[in-house]
């Protein structure tokens, strides 16, 4: 996609969003991970434009400060806030959740968005393969850590950024950490399958608490995604991104699920382009969803 096409798309899209989103987010508190880049940054800014107060979870001070500056310029007077954590480490996930819980009396929307694709296998200090840790365990731990604040804001929403990359992926419960063989795209696809399964199980388990949970595929988006995956993979993704959609368009379904009245009562869904989509058969396996929940709770040291 050329630069001219991108800017035309941005202008057309701004009008579309203004016309369609239609929900006033004044007085709402939105917590979002990965709000320093890509679709997370755009979603945070759009929700701030709609009146929401944003609480960012970021890992890098200077990128965090830049994101905060942009938010304050676009939506001043809303006391947006930021907390820092490396979301691939369980202790950090728990610390930042406790910090946010201490600072916020209620959370209306939690957007679990931070994620990455890694070209080589790396094991975190918790003994977890890092794609699994960052892309899945962080969603689980942060959501649990913020549960009481979400309940306090009921009706509240959890929006999990997944991906169509989950299609074709399968979970092997004997080897969730991919010790037997690692391929970057396969690890990524599995982690995104975890996002859809987690969302389904969350919707089922927390029904009746006034919290809905939905996941989405943003499309193939020209963000920093994949830039640090390394070697040929990084190069291949850079080339493919010439044909990707803009972050503005990629963020649209996040904003929609976080704000639209149309989905106020929808729970456990998977969305693409604002429409319900059917995830893969593996992502609709309720037994696997329940087992993944229990296994993740055990790994994270959280009561299931
Ligand atoms: N782009 C696509 O085509 C595509 C397609 C399907 C799904 N997705 C999903 O969309 C989500 C957002 O990705 P994006 O495309 O917007 O990519 P991006 O531009 O690379 O943004 C990723 C965000 O995650 C943050 N992050 C990464 N590692 C982190 C860590 N250890 N701790 C805390 N934060 C961390 C990054 O922080 P820094 O700014 O500090 O790097 C950044 O804000 C991901 O879940 C991805 O799987 C993307």
């Amino acid at each position: 996609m050329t630069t001219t096409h991108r800017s035309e798309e941005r202008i057309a899209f701004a009008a579309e969003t203004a016309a369609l989103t239609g929900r006033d987010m004044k007085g709402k508190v939105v917590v979002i991970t990965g709000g320093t880049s890509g679709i997370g940054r755009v979603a945070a800014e759009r929700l701030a434009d709609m009146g929401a107060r944003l609480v960012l979870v970021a890992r890098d001070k200077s990128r965090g400060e830049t994101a905060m500056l942009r938010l304050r310029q676009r939506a001043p007077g809303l006391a947006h806030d930021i907390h820092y954590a490396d979301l691939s480490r369980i202790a950090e996930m728990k610390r930042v959740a406790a910090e946010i819980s201490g600072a916020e009396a209620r959370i209306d929307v939690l957007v679990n968005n931070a994620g990455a694709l890694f070209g080589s296998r790396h094991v975190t200090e918790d003994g977890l393969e890092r794609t699994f840790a960052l892309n899945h365990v962080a969603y689980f731990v942060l959501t649990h850590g913020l549960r009481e604040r979400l309940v306090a804001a009921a009706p509240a929403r959890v929006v999990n950024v997944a991906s169509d990359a989950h299609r074709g992926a399968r979970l092997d419960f004997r080897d969730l950490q991919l010790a037997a063989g690692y391929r970057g795209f396969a690890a990524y696809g599995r982690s995104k399958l975890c996002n859809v399964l987690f969302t389904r199980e969350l919707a089922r388990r927390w029904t009746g608490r006034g919290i809905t949970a939905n996941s989405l595929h943003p499309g193939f988006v020209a963000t920093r995604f994949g830039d640090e995956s390394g070697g040929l993979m990084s190069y291949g993704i850079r080339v493919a991104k010439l044909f990707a959609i803009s972050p503005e368009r990629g963020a649209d379904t996040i904003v929609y699920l976080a704000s639209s009245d149309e989905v106020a009562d929808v729970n456990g869904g998977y969305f693409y382009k604002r429409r319900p989509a059917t995830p893969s058969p593996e992502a609709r396996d309720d037994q696997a969803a329940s087992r993944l929940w229990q296994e993740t709770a055990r790994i994270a040291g959280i009561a299931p």
Side-chain angles (χ1 to χ4, degrees):
M1 190 176 286
T2 64
T3 312
T4 322
H5 276 123
R6 281 236 169 84
S7 55
E8 279 169 5
E9 190 192 35
R10 279 198 178 110
I11 294 162
F13 188 64
E16 203 180 297
T17 303
L20 288 177
T21 303
R23 191 182 187 212
D24 189 354
M25 292 292 282
K26 282 195 190 77
K28 306 280 179 194
V29 176
V30 178
V31 175
I32 183 165
T33 67
T36 49
S37 179
I39 59 176
R41 181 180 63 71
V42 174
E45 290 174 3
R46 287 210 186 283
L47 290 163
D49 289 346
M50 292 160 72
R53 189 165 74 77
L54 268 292
V55 178
L56 306 186
V57 181
R59 62 173 165 172
D60 180 86
K61 263 250 150 45
S62 101
R63 298 179 59 71
E65 277 165 17
T66 307
M68 288 301 285
L69 194 68
R70 288 175 63 107
L71 277 180
R72 287 179 185 131
Q73 280 168 349
R74 289 175 73 117
L78 283 174
H80 303 298
D81 204 356
I82 188 161
H83 297 261
Y84 291 95
D86 175 353
L87 291 174
S88 63
R89 301 168 61 194
I90 292 176
E92 292 271 283
M93 302 169 198
K94 289 185 175 175
R95 177 190 53 75
V96 82
E99 240 176 64
I100 296 171
S101 283
E104 303 295 335
R106 41 175 290 161
I107 294 166
D108 297 276
V109 182
L110 166 63
V111 182
N112 287 306
N113 163 73
L117 164 73
F118 300 106
S120 58
R121 184 171 186 268
H122 176 87
V123 176
T124 68
E125 63 185 20
D126 305 300
L128 304 179
E129 186 282 308
R130 75 178 150 176
T131 323
F132 180 79
L134 172 65
N135 293 10
H136 166 61
V137 179
Y139 283 27
F140 186 92
V141 173
L142 204 60
T143 305
H144 277 81
L146 299 180
R147 181 175 58 191
E148 296 318 317
R149 298 298 175 263
L150 289 160
V151 169
R157 305 179 186 197
V158 177
V159 177
N160 292 324
V161 179
S163 170
D164 259 6
H166 81 271
R167 296 187 191 282
R170 281 170 199 281
L171 285 189
D172 178 356
F173 283 100
R174 290 160 309 173
D175 186 25
L176 282 177
Q177 308 312 322
L178 298 165
Y182 182 88
R183 284 180 302 123
F185 279 116
Y188 179 73
R190 278 196 196 187
S191 72
K192 294 288 132 181
L193 173 58
C194 290
N195 294 160
V196 186
L197 289 171
F198 167 54
T199 307
R200 283 173 81 86
E201 187 67 5
L202 182 63
R204 192 183 70 77
R205 287 191 182 234
W206 288 13
T207 190
R209 291 176 193 254
I211 303 169
T212 60
N214 291 291
S215 65
L216 68 118
H217 172 53
F220 180 49
V221 197
T223 61
R224 286 168 53 240
F225 178 77
D227 286 359
E228 288 163 43
S229 53
L232 266 185
M233 183 183 275
S234 206
Y235 176 75
I237 293 172
R238 263 177 223 268
V239 173
K241 280 196 289 200
L242 294 172
F243 305 95
I245 60 171
S246 67
E248 282 71 17
R249 196 159 279 279
D252 180 57
T253 304
I254 301 179
V255 177
Y256 176 73
L257 289 176
S259 65
S260 174
D261 288 338
E262 288 171 14
V263 283
D265 298 321
V266 180
N267 200 12
Y270 177 68
F271 284 75
Y272 176 47
K273 291 188 176 174
R274 298 189 182 192
R275 293 207 179 83
T278 305
S280 69
E282 289 76 14
R284 286 180 273 131
D285 180 343
D286 288 334
Q287 247 181 324
S290 169
R291 193 168 168 194
L292 177 66
W293 181 286
Q294 284 168 32
E295 190 57 23
T296 313
R298 187 191 63 71
I299 288 168
I302 290 173

